Amino acid sequence: MSPWQTRCLAALALATAAGLASCTPASEPAAPQPAPDTVAPSAGPIAHVSRSTRLQGFLTERYGKAAKLSGKWRGSWTQDGDTRLTDWHVCAEQPVVTGDSWQQLLAVCGSPLDGAHPDPGAIDFFVLRPEADRFAVAAALTGQNFGSRGEPGTVQILRAGSDFYGFRIEHGWFGQGYSLITQTLVLPGPNGLVDAGGVRSHIDNTAAYDCDDADAEPDCQARLFNLDFTLRFDDRDPAARQWPLLIEETGLGCGGQPVRREHRFTLDPTTWSYAFPEALRREECE
């Protein structure tokens, strides 16, 4: 880490209270380190334009006058030529230090008002850079589909390397007593933000409807499962540009057998994705 970064990180604790807090709680890995809420004094008369003011300006420019940093606003979402009334809100935001500068990560979530059970919600992802008194788009991935019933799930900003940050989206499907929850990673690639792949976050069938019949109980007991897949990055080499990804699989497998396994992955520099096996994307017993 450069001396500039060390000084910057020391100042962050003081700057965080002045900035807008992240819309989702931090969890492993450690929360990204915030950047200063204002630009450097050398920027001249616009040096004290706050990060919140820049964010509000970007939202207004992108989503219209109704957009706001806190709470929902009514707008629209157009996909495949179909425009739908949609409630939008900022679902994650965090300033981060990158190299000798800083960037602003932002996710905006949309929930169509007419979302039926199979319908996903929408998420727009942005990496913004300070430019004069505003934010400019450094990278974007918009109109992405996640979730069900028109709800896109939740977004977390995470640290995946020394100064490498991205988004983790957790979204699920629930039906007939089954729970299928997925976690997807969106990371900065060589040409912008990319979907780096997804695995399950949790699966279970503990409330399966087909086990309601007493005659089916013995067979159902042999097919019950309840598993968690906890995602984190191995930061034992803090200076590494990208950290290995670890997924710990724990819980009860088929028939109530205890499971505890660790899976390790690295980001493929060619596809810019993780080679997740089907076993980590399954819907039922192995």
Side-chain angles (χ1 to χ4, degrees), residues 86-171:
T86 299
D87 280 339
W88 293 94
H89 71 282
V90 172
C91 47
E93 70 85 14
Q94 180 67 57
V96 298
V97 174
T98 57
D100 290 335
S101 184
W102 65 282
Q103 295 177 325
Q104 171 71 45
L105 272 64
L106 173 69
V108 182
C109 292
S111 301
L113 301 187
D114 59 352
H117 186 262
D119 292 340
I123 307 180
D124 293 342
F125 302 96
F126 302 96
V127 177
L128 306 175
R129 64 174 184 271
E131 186 177 276
D133 61 348
R134 60 190 292 273
F135 277 131
V137 176
L141 185 65
T142 61
Q144 301 302 292
N145 295 153
F146 296 97
S148 61
R149 297 181 180 177
E151 296 297 330
T154 60
V155 184
Q156 171 196 6
I157 293 171
L158 47 72
R159 186 178 181 184
S162 59
D163 60 354
F164 187 59
Y165 300 88
F167 302 89
R168 172 182 174 269
I169 308 94
E170 188 171 62
H171 52 108

Side-chain angles (χ1 to χ4, degrees), residues 174-197:
F174 307 90
Q176 300 182 343
Y178 285 71
S179 299
L180 304 174
I181 306 176
T182 300
Q183 51 191 335
T184 301
L185 294 174
V186 170
L187 300 174
N191 300 309
L193 290 171
V194 297
D195 183 335

Side-chain angles (χ1 to χ4, degrees), residues 217-280:
E217 184 175 351
D219 180 58
C220 282
Q221 290 299 318
R223 293 185 289 107
L224 289 179
F225 56 89
N226 189 338
L227 293 165
D228 291 309
F229 303 85
T230 304
L231 181 153
R232 66 183 179 88
F233 288 92
D234 182 354
D235 60 356
R236 286 178 295 179
D237 181 4
R241 165 64 174 160
Q242 296 166 6
W243 295 332
L245 173 63
L246 302 178
I247 296 176
E248 186 176 16
E249 180 182 357
T250 58
L252 298 178
C254 305
Q257 295 298 313
V259 173
R260 191 174 195 89
R261 292 189 285 252
E262 186 176 85
H263 310 269
R264 187 181 182 91
F265 304 94
T266 56
L267 193 62
D268 188 312
T270 302
T271 64
W272 214 252
S273 63
Y274 295 99
F276 294 131
E278 287 299 322
L280 295 183

